[in-house]
Structures are given as C-alpha cells and as structure tokens.
C-alpha cells in the first residue's frame, strides 16, 4: 500500500519560512519522480516543484522554494522561504509510476492528505 504523509505546515507571518516533509512508504522511492502541489480555496491545484529520481529539480514555480529528497529516508522536502500571503494553500506531495516526470496533476497517481500553509500579512 502506497502512503504519502505530509507534515511541516503551519501559520507564519509574511517573510517567514517553513519546511515541508513528505514521508513515503509502499514505493521504491529512489525510482520515482516526486512533486509538491498546492491548492488554494477556489483555485485549481497547481504544481509547485518537481524532482526526478536522480534528485534533479526539474520544475519550480517559485524561486523562493527548494525541493529536495533523501532517497535513504524515502522522504521528500520543500523548503519555503520569504513566504507571502498568496502562498496560503493546502500543500500536497504526489508521485506517479512513469519513467519521465510529468507536470499535470492528472498524471499523478498517488497523493498525500495535504498539509495546510497559512501566511499572514
């Protein structure tokens, strides 16, 4: 059974930082493309950052965010700096079983339950 469990969200003031963590099980983590998505109320889910199995960050929507992974720990991270109120959203980690990384949410098969990030001005 595949499980993705996010943590690290919370409430911060603008300019602050958070580090999100996604612990995985049930997949051969080192073989999988991993991604962070976010969804704000009333908006579509969007990709935030994507990292391939070789730990190359192949997409980042925000220069303030850094995606990384620890294959030994089966864990994905998202370091978010200089947070803005518009970063407020539910953040999800996700993965899919394709060889090449995809970008669209519809291509991702496995999702975590999400962790809420709220940034106040």
């Amino acid at each position: 059974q595949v499980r993705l469990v996010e943590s690290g969200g919370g409430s911060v003031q603008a300019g602050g930082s958070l580090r999100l963590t996604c612990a995985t099980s049930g997949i051969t983590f080192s073989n999988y493309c991993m991604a962070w998505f976010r969804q704000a109320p009333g908006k579509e889910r969007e990709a935030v950052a994507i990292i391939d199995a070789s730990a190359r960050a192949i997409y980042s929507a925000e220069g303030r965010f850094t995606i990384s992974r620890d294959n030994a720990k089966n864990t994905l991270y998202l370091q978010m700096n200089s947070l803005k109120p518009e970063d407020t959203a539910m953040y999800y980690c996700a993965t899919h079983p394709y060889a090449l990384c995809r970008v669209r949410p519809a291509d991702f098969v496995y999702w975590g339950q999400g962790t809420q990030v709220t940034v106040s001005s």
Side-chain angles (χ1 to χ4, degrees):
Q1 181 181 2
V2 178
R3 290 195 69 203
L4 307 177
V5 181
E6 302 95 334
S7 61
S11 297
V12 297
Q13 290 191 326
S17 297
L18 285 173
R19 188 193 196 201
L20 305 185
T21 297
C22 175
T24 74
S25 60
I27 59 173
T28 305
F29 181 78
S30 59
N31 290 349
Y32 278 65
C33 175
M34 299 295 300
W36 288 99
F37 288 84
R38 67 184 177 188
Q39 188 167 20
K43 295 188 176 181
E44 293 188 353
R45 192 167 296 190
E46 62 178 358
V48 175
I50 301 173
I51 189 167
D52 71 9
S54 300
R56 290 174 299 186
I58 65 168
Y59 176 82
S60 180
E62 303 284 352
R64 300 172 286 115
F65 296 176
T66 302
I67 189 170
S68 62
R69 64 191 295 160
D70 186 336
N71 287 346
K73 295 182 178 179
N74 297 333
T75 302
L76 177 73
Y77 304 99
L78 183 69
Q79 178 67 43
M80 304 188 295
N81 298 327
S82 302
L83 284 162
K84 303 176 180 179
E86 50 264 44
D87 295 320
T88 295
M90 186 72 78
Y91 283 71
Y92 301 89
C93 70
T95 188
H96 61 57
Y98 307 113
L100 297 178
C101 283
R102 308 285 178 95
V103 180
R104 300 183 309 157
D107 291 326
F108 284 77
V109 176
Y110 304 113
W111 294 84
Q113 82 290 346
T115 186
Q116 178 68 38
V117 172
T118 302
V119 184
S120 58
S121 58

